[in-house]
Amino acid sequence: MRPFIAPSVLAADFANLQQEIEMINQSDASYVHVDVMDGIFVPNISLGIPVVEAIHRHAEKPLDVHLMIIDPDKYLQRFKEAGAAHITVHYEACNHLHRTLDEIRRLNCKAGVALNPHTPVELLKDIIHEVDLVCLMSVNPGFGGQKFIEHTYTKIENLKKLIVQTGSKAQIEIDGGVSMSNASALIEAGADILVAGNFIFTSKNPIETINNLKNIA
Ligand code: DX5
Ligand code: ZN
C-alpha cells in the first residue's frame, strides 16, 4: 500500500510559510502536519492557534494537528475552528482520554492519540475502537531532526495486531526521523501515514522528496 505523507511544517521556513504550504499543495502529500508545543508537555514552544489559521488559509490538504500540550480539552474547539481536520492528543497528557476523543469526534474531526516512545501500545486496548489514528512517536517529542528510534518497528507490529484483533479502523502514523532509509520498512511493518519534517524541508527538491516517499515500493 502507498503511504499517506504528512510533511511537518515545523521544519519549514516560518518566514515564508505561504510558499511552503503552496509547495505542499503541489505535491503528492495527503496532509499538512502541524506541531503545537506548549513548553510544558515538551521542552519547546512552536506555534499556536493563529498560525494554524494562517496555514489553513493556504492549505489545500487537510490539517493534521499534533497537540503536544497539557490540558488539550481547553483548546479542542478552537483548533477545530482554526481548521484542524485531525486532532491528535497525547496519551500522556490526558486524564480522561475517552472523554477527550469523544469531544474531538463531536467536533467532526478525526480523533488521534499519540504515544511517546516509552508508552506501550497495549495501553490502548480499551480505547482503540474509539480512535481514528494512532501516532507513534519515533523520537521524543519536542524537536525536529532527531534520530529515529528503532524500537518503533516492534511497536508498529504490536499495534497492528491490536487493531486487527479488535476490528478497529485506526490508522498508524509514524512521527519523527522518517526518511527514505526507513520509509519502506515502516510501511512493511504496518504504517499508514508517514510524517516527515527535516527530510523534506532540507532537501533540494521538497516536492520530489515528498513524491518519492509516497511512491516508495
Ligand atoms: C516532534 C514532532 C515531529 C517533527 C518531525 O516533536 O512531533 O512532527 O516535526 O520532524 P523530523 O521529521 O525532522 O524528525
Ligand atoms: Zn508531530
mmCIF file of all heavy atoms in Angstrom, residues 9 12-20:
data_model
loop_
_atom_site.group_PDB
_atom_site.id
_atom_site.type_symbol
_atom_site.label_atom_id
_atom_site.label_comp_id
_atom_site.label_asym_id
_atom_site.label_seq_id
_atom_site.Cartn_x
_atom_site.Cartn_y
_atom_site.Cartn_z
ATOM 1 N N VAL A 9 5.381 20.934 9.081
ATOM 2 C CA VAL A 9 5.808 22.313 8.833
ATOM 3 C C VAL A 9 6.727 22.865 9.922
ATOM 4 O O VAL A 9 7.274 23.952 9.767
ATOM 5 C CB VAL A 9 4.617 23.290 8.625
ATOM 6 C CG1 VAL A 9 3.871 22.988 7.351
ATOM 7 C CG2 VAL A 9 3.675 23.273 9.803
ATOM 8 N N ALA A 12 9.662 23.818 8.267
ATOM 9 C CA ALA A 12 9.526 24.778 7.155
ATOM 10 C C ALA A 12 10.151 26.118 7.534
ATOM 11 O O ALA A 12 10.483 26.358 8.692
ATOM 12 C CB ALA A 12 8.037 24.965 6.839
ATOM 13 N N ASP A 13 10.279 26.991 6.540
ATOM 14 C CA ASP A 13 10.750 28.345 6.776
ATOM 15 C C ASP A 13 9.540 29.175 7.221
ATOM 16 O O ASP A 13 8.679 29.521 6.407
ATOM 17 C CB ASP A 13 11.349 28.896 5.471
ATOM 18 C CG ASP A 13 11.798 30.342 5.610
ATOM 19 O OD1 ASP A 13 11.609 30.928 6.711
ATOM 20 O OD2 ASP A 13 12.317 30.889 4.624
ATOM 21 N N PHE A 14 9.473 29.490 8.516
ATOM 22 C CA PHE A 14 8.294 30.181 9.061
ATOM 23 C C PHE A 14 8.138 31.595 8.479
ATOM 24 O O PHE A 14 7.056 32.161 8.519
ATOM 25 C CB PHE A 14 8.361 30.252 10.593
ATOM 26 C CG PHE A 14 7.965 28.955 11.267
ATOM 27 C CD1 PHE A 14 7.669 27.812 10.533
ATOM 28 C CD2 PHE A 14 7.889 28.869 12.655
ATOM 29 C CE1 PHE A 14 7.300 26.615 11.150
ATOM 30 C CE2 PHE A 14 7.519 27.687 13.289
ATOM 31 C CZ PHE A 14 7.229 26.554 12.535
ATOM 32 N N ALA A 15 9.205 32.151 7.946
ATOM 33 C CA ALA A 15 9.112 33.479 7.348
ATOM 34 C C ALA A 15 8.511 33.420 5.937
ATOM 35 O O ALA A 15 8.169 34.445 5.365
ATOM 36 C CB ALA A 15 10.484 34.138 7.318
ATOM 37 N N ASN A 16 8.413 32.208 5.416
ATOM 38 C CA ASN A 16 7.835 32.021 4.073
ATOM 39 C C ASN A 16 6.810 30.908 4.086
ATOM 40 O O ASN A 16 6.763 30.070 3.190
ATOM 41 C CB ASN A 16 8.942 31.668 3.071
ATOM 42 C CG ASN A 16 9.826 32.861 2.783
ATOM 43 O OD1 ASN A 16 9.356 33.878 2.282
ATOM 44 N ND2 ASN A 16 11.078 32.750 3.145
ATOM 45 N N LEU A 17 5.977 30.942 5.098
ATOM 46 C CA LEU A 17 5.047 29.833 5.320
ATOM 47 C C LEU A 17 4.071 29.639 4.149
ATOM 48 O O LEU A 17 3.775 28.509 3.765
ATOM 49 C CB LEU A 17 4.296 30.084 6.628
ATOM 50 C CG LEU A 17 3.885 28.876 7.451
ATOM 51 C CD1 LEU A 17 4.940 27.789 7.478
ATOM 52 C CD2 LEU A 17 3.534 29.304 8.871
ATOM 53 N N GLN A 18 3.619 30.742 3.573
ATOM 54 C CA GLN A 18 2.660 30.608 2.460
ATOM 55 C C GLN A 18 3.282 29.815 1.312
ATOM 56 O O GLN A 18 2.665 28.898 0.760
ATOM 57 C CB GLN A 18 2.218 31.989 1.976
ATOM 58 C CG GLN A 18 1.210 31.891 0.832
ATOM 59 C CD GLN A 18 0.658 33.231 0.397
ATOM 60 O OE1 GLN A 18 0.836 34.253 1.076
ATOM 61 N NE2 GLN A 18 -0.010 33.246 -0.733
ATOM 62 N N GLN A 19 4.517 30.175 0.983
ATOM 63 C CA GLN A 19 5.234 29.470 -0.088
ATOM 64 C C GLN A 19 5.405 27.989 0.241
ATOM 65 O O GLN A 19 5.248 27.138 -0.625
ATOM 66 C CB GLN A 19 6.633 30.077 -0.176
ATOM 67 C CG GLN A 19 7.008 30.653 -1.505
ATOM 68 C CD GLN A 19 8.316 31.415 -1.318
ATOM 69 O OE1 GLN A 19 8.300 32.593 -0.932
ATOM 70 N NE2 GLN A 19 9.437 30.740 -1.541
ATOM 71 N N GLU A 20 5.730 27.712 1.493
ATOM 72 C CA GLU A 20 5.952 26.326 1.912
ATOM 73 C C GLU A 20 4.650 25.519 1.806
ATOM 74 O O GLU A 20 4.654 24.373 1.374
ATOM 75 C CB GLU A 20 6.468 26.287 3.359
ATOM 76 C CG GLU A 20 7.777 27.034 3.589
ATOM 77 C CD GLU A 20 9.010 26.253 3.192
ATOM 78 O OE1 GLU A 20 9.043 25.736 2.054
ATOM 79 O OE2 GLU A 20 9.937 26.165 4.018
#
